[in-house]
Amino acid sequence: MKDLQKYREMWEHQNVGFYDGFREHKKAEDFKANVKRLELAGVWDEIIEKLRSYELPDEFEGKKEIIDFGTRFRYLVEPLDIANYYRHDRHYEDDASSYMVKGRPKRYRYPQRWLEHAERRPQEPNSASCFWAEVEDLRYKIGTNNSSFEDVKERVDQLEAQIKAWSEKGELAKDVFLEGSTLVKWWKALPLHHKQQSCIRSLIK
């Protein structure tokens, strides 16, 4: 995962979030990062399948080092999976085509569950590694006039509360809030009366 961490740092030096850099997919480094993404995905798919077929020890998913490694993997690689998913417009068919409904692999759902169990957190469908998918879905719904803001206000409020909590816990990287990021562009396009009362207004410049 060191190569993908360096890739992220490369984009940070250019004042661009690595989610957005990868989503644009215009540099040679993006193609190299995609190869690493696929390699790591293959490794973790194999791990999950071995776990499901009882080829790994019972205590495997409860080990702290495994949980920590799975969490780092999710935070670094899943945003790239999401960027790739939405870059190819796979969600435009209907709600059932969204990443969280149709596209999220077990290689991310399982490690998230391990962490939630280890820290006795409530199980959440969303997390700091996959919130980009909710941003993309809401952005599409509002931006294409398929829904009014009021139709999705409850989802927006919930996502903002989660972003605030994740930020306070240090679970979100600073590049999430860079000017021009998908999150910032989406948030700034929301109605003024909402932004004035938003719980994340202080996080976005």
Side-chain angles (χ1 to χ4, degrees), residues 42-100:
V43 169
W44 272 89
D45 283 343
E46 187 175 346
I47 290 173
I48 298 303
E49 285 309 307
K50 284 186 176 182
L51 186 66
R52 285 165 55 85
S53 58
Y54 303 101
E55 295 179 47
L56 294 174
D58 292 341
E59 65 273 13
F60 175 83
E61 60 197 84
K63 290 183 177 180
K64 186 179 185 305
E65 60 268 29
I66 298 298
I67 294 171
D68 290 346
F69 190 59
T71 300
R72 291 197 303 274
F73 166 71
R74 279 195 302 118
Y75 285 2
L76 192 57
V77 183
E78 187 167 22
L80 302 185
D81 267 25
I82 296 169
N84 187 65
Y85 190 88
Y86 287 92
R87 185 169 67 88
H88 289 103
D89 297 341
R90 294 174 182 165
H91 65 303
Y92 289 167
E93 299 168 22
D94 50 47
D95 287 344
S97 298
S98 73
Y99 173 85
M100 294 303 292

Side-chain angles (χ1 to χ4, degrees), residues 121-157:
R121 300 185 183 185
Q123 286 194 8
E124 297 282 356
N126 210 352
S127 78
S129 69
C130 63
F131 80 97
W132 288 111
E134 181 71 347
V135 172
E136 293 278 12
D137 288 344
L138 290 170
R139 184 185 180 205
Y140 175 71
K141 281 181 174 296
I142 299 172
T144 57
N145 295 320
N146 284 352
S147 303
S148 70
F149 173 74
E150 292 304 321
D151 290 335
V152 295
K153 185 180 184 307
E154 187 175 339
R155 284 176 65 180
V156 172
D157 288 340

Side-chain angles (χ1 to χ4, degrees), residues 8 12 15-20 128 131-132 135 159-188 198-205:
R8 179 172 206 155
E12 286 179 357
N15 209 34
V16 176
F18 88 132
Y19 175 85
D20 298 283
F131 80 97
W132 288 111
V135 172
L159 177 60
E160 288 180 332
Q162 290 173 321
I163 288 172
K164 183 175 185 291
W166 294 326
S167 178
E168 290 173 347
K169 292 177 184 176
E171 295 180 9
L172 289 182
K174 293 179 180 179
D175 64 358
V176 167
F177 301 107
L178 287 173
E179 182 72 29
S181 80
T182 296
L183 169 66
V184 172
K185 286 189 290 189
W186 164 74
W187 187 85
K188 286 188 173 181
S198 170
C199 64
I200 63 170
R201 65 187 183 279
S202 63
L203 297 174
I204 297 177
K205 307 302 182 183

Side-chain angles (χ1 to χ4, degrees), residues 20-55:
D20 298 283
F22 189 83
R23 198 182 191 288
E24 289 295 317
H25 220 75
K26 293 180 178 178
K27 293 178 177 287
E29 290 85 354
D30 302 326
F31 291 95
K32 293 176 183 177
N34 194 44
V35 172
K36 291 297 179 182
R37 174 184 74 89
L38 293 172
E39 288 176 355
L40 285 166
V43 169
W44 272 89
D45 283 343
E46 187 175 346
I47 290 173
I48 298 303
E49 285 309 307
K50 284 186 176 182
L51 186 66
R52 285 165 55 85
S53 58
Y54 303 101
E55 295 179 47

